[in-house]
Amino acid sequence: MVKLRLKRCGRKQRAVYRIVAIDVRSRREGKDLRKVGFYDPMKNQTYLNVPLILDFLEKGAQPTGTVQNLLKKAEVFKELSSNQMKFN
């Protein structure tokens, strides 16, 4: 099973996170399948590769709680539902 979750980067007391698609059994800093975004909580900046995220979500990837909140803020789930309507 694949999850979309945060992978910690940066230095001590100055964390930044990559949003990655990763196997559930991998640890936080483990080998990721694909980098799909970036989140800096200090500057409150988010970069999301929306087409790639939508592709993973359509294939059944589950976002973690924090990643799900970031995706809701960016309104990715609205795009997901509109894409599913186009295919039906």
Side-chain angles (χ1 to χ4, degrees):
M1 182 177 180
V2 175
K3 280 203 174 235
L4 297 175
R5 67 183 185 200
L6 297 175
K7 184 175 185 178
R8 186 184 165 116
C9 303
R11 58 180 204 255
K12 189 168 49 172
Q13 301 294 320
R14 182 70 183 93
V16 292
Y17 298 92
R18 287 190 182 126
I19 301 169
V20 295
I22 194 167
D23 186 45
V24 174
R25 296 167 288 190
S26 297
R27 58 196 191 112
R28 185 182 69 187
E29 283 86 16
K31 179 86 171 133
D32 51 68
L33 301 173
R34 195 80 188 259
K35 294 174 182 71
V36 296
F38 177 82
Y39 173 57
D40 186 352
M42 301 294 263
K43 296 179 183 176
N44 202 18
Q45 289 180 329
T46 306
Y47 165 76
L48 300 172
N49 188 343
V50 177
L52 197 56
I53 291 171
L54 291 175
D55 186 46
F56 274 108
L57 290 173
E58 288 170 357
K59 291 179 181 175
Q62 297 294 315
T64 60
T66 307
V67 172
Q68 189 168 9
N69 290 338
L70 291 172
L71 296 179
K72 280 182 187 175
K73 281 184 184 177
E75 299 180 349
V76 172
F77 292 114
K78 290 182 181 178
E79 294 180 34
L80 179 66
S81 62
S82 66
N83 279 353
Q84 287 178 345
M85 294 173 103
K86 289 178 187 176
F87 293 123
N88 290 335

